[in-house]
């Protein structure tokens, strides 16, 4: 299965690009589903049809879905949430408030990831197109498995251990244990976080998944997209193309647009410089809103011409480990557009934590590096190079 995620600053046309890409894939004979993970859904408007929280077929080989976070959380988090709601209401908190506070931070957005897992495991589709939320929300979503793993392992594991002790004690003392979660609820929690980890693996596998950055030829949009590209590299997600949308066509000759067209051309040249070898797909500004099959087909033609959108357009590594001749190991982490003053590095025996600005990523180190020390870390040519050396045994 091929997964393509479109993200970018709000208002750049991600939904139209996602819908056009999905339609093109379907017309090429690929069984395709396009899903929207943006809380402000506009996918149905772009497709000019009614869709909902479950997938529906809207054309030959084409399905669509607007993911509803509440619907998904009830489906995947229901048992444990019922326990938590019961626990809070027993302590005098109103039921509606209890429901709000019993969802872990970020898990509402994380519900979107659970659908991705379902479609991969069922294997019914050839291509999954994700119309993602604006960049900040998408980065929170993609980093969720890293963030929640700590919460689950440290906090929930501790709480579960306590419940195993308190339940038999309560029975001996004749106390009510209804506010302790049963094994089925715990299994659901374990399954939820295991699923998030699996989706993390799917989305970071460059042979399966690609992120495509949608921009308009405007300096502010490009700058934000550069930061997004840095953070996606930080988390190990492969970007295989930049999509430049809403370019004023050459046939527009009205003098009113002359300065705007000139500025756009400068910015398009800047995109090519800024993103290096990444392919640049271009789409013109149309005379009206891009909605409906005919308009989406036009957009797909402009973007892909004879190309198959499901192809992998660029094969770039996210991070790699290289062995030096003297036995040192060097971990290379590409961080394009990062400022070295925003970088921080922390290390435990089997894990490395990188921080770029407000975002963090944990890289699990291979066993061979566990007993090696970091000799130095250098940020050179948009690449963080971390050198590990063997520890000399004390005589």
């Amino acid at each position: 299965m091929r997964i393509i995620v479109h993200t970018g600053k709000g208002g750049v046309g991600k939904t139209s690009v996602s819908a056009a890409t999905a339609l093109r894939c379907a017309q090429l004979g690929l069984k395709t589903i396009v899903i929207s993970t943006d809380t402000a859904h506009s996918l149905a408007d772009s497709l000019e049809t009614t869709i909902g929280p479950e997938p529906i077929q809207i054309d030959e080989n084409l399905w669509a879905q607007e993911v509803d976070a509440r619907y998904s959380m009830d489906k995947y988090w229901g048992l444990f949430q019922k326990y938590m709601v019961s626990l809070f209401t027993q302590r005098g908190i109103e039921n509606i408030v209890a429901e709000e506070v019993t969802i872990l931070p970020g898990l509402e957005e994380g519900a979107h990831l659970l659908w991705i897992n379902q479609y991969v495991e069922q294997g019914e589709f050839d291509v999954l197109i994700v119309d993602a939320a604006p960049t900040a929300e998408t980065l929170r979503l993609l980093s969720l498995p890293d963030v929640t793993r700590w919460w689950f392992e440290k906090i929930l594991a501790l709480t579960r251990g306590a419940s195993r002790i308190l339940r038999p004690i309560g029975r001996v003392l004749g106390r009510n244990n209804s506010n302790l979660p049963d094994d089925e609820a715990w299994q659901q929690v374990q399954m939820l976080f295991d699923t998030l980890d699996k989706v993390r693996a799917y989305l970071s596998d460059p042979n399966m998944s690609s992120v495509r950055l949608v921009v308009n030829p405007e300096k502010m949009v490009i700058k934000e997209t550069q930061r997004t590209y840095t953070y996606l590299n930080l988390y190990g997600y492969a970007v295989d193309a930049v999509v430049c949308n809403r370019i004023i066509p050459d046939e527009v000759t009205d003098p009113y647009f002359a300065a705007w067209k000139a500025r756009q051309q400068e910015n398009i040249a800047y995109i090519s410089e800024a993103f290096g070898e990444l392919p640049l797909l271009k789409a013109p500004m149309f005379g009206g809103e891009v909605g409906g099959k005919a308009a989406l087909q036009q957009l797909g033609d402009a973007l892909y011409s004879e190309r198959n959108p499901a192809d992998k357009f660029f094969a770039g590594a996210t991070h790699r480990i290289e062995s030096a001749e003297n036995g040192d190991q060097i971990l290379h982490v590409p961080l394009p557009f990062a400022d070295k003053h925003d970088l921080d590095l922390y290390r435990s025996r089997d894990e490395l934590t990188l921080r770029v600005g407000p975002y963090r990523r944990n890289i699990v180190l291979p066993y061979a590096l566990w007993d090696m020390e970091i000799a130095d870390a250098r940020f050179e040519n948009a690449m963080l190079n971390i050198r590990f050396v063997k520890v000399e045994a004390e005589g």
Side-chain angles (χ1 to χ4, degrees), residues 81-200:
Q81 190 185 21
K82 285 177 183 175
Y83 149 69
M84 295 292 286
V85 169
S86 172
L87 183 64
F88 280 113
T89 52
Q90 285 179 30
R91 282 155 176 73
I93 298 175
E94 292 183 12
N95 190 274
I96 190 169
V97 176
E99 286 188 9
E100 291 296 323
V101 300
T102 52
I103 294 180
L104 298 181
L107 273 190
E108 254 188 285
E109 295 96 332
H112 305 315
L113 297 177
L114 303 174
W115 287 99
I116 295 174
N117 178 71
Q118 177 178 316
Y119 295 135
V120 172
E121 295 203 335
Q122 288 177 346
E124 293 182 10
F125 298 101
D126 300 311
V127 184
L128 167 61
I129 307 293
V130 182
D131 171 26
T135 45
E137 292 177 48
T138 299
L139 287 167
R140 284 197 298 270
L141 181 66
L142 293 177
S143 64
L144 183 67
D146 285 332
V147 174
T148 53
R149 185 185 296 111
W150 182 92
W151 196 96
F152 178 63
E153 290 179 351
K154 302 296 189 293
I155 305 300
L156 286 185
L158 180 65
T159 309
R160 186 178 188 184
S163 71
R164 284 175 172 166
I165 297 170
L166 294 174
R167 192 180 295 280
I169 292 176
R171 281 198 294 266
V172 171
L173 298 177
R175 294 179 179 172
N176 181 11
N177 289 297
S178 62
N179 63 338
L180 293 174
D182 57 24
D183 287 340
E184 191 177 357
W186 282 115
Q187 287 169 7
Q188 188 180 52
V189 177
Q190 180 70 59
M191 182 182 70
L192 176 72
F193 285 93
D194 286 348
T195 300
L196 289 174
D197 275 341
K198 283 193 290 184
V199 175
R200 170 77 169 81

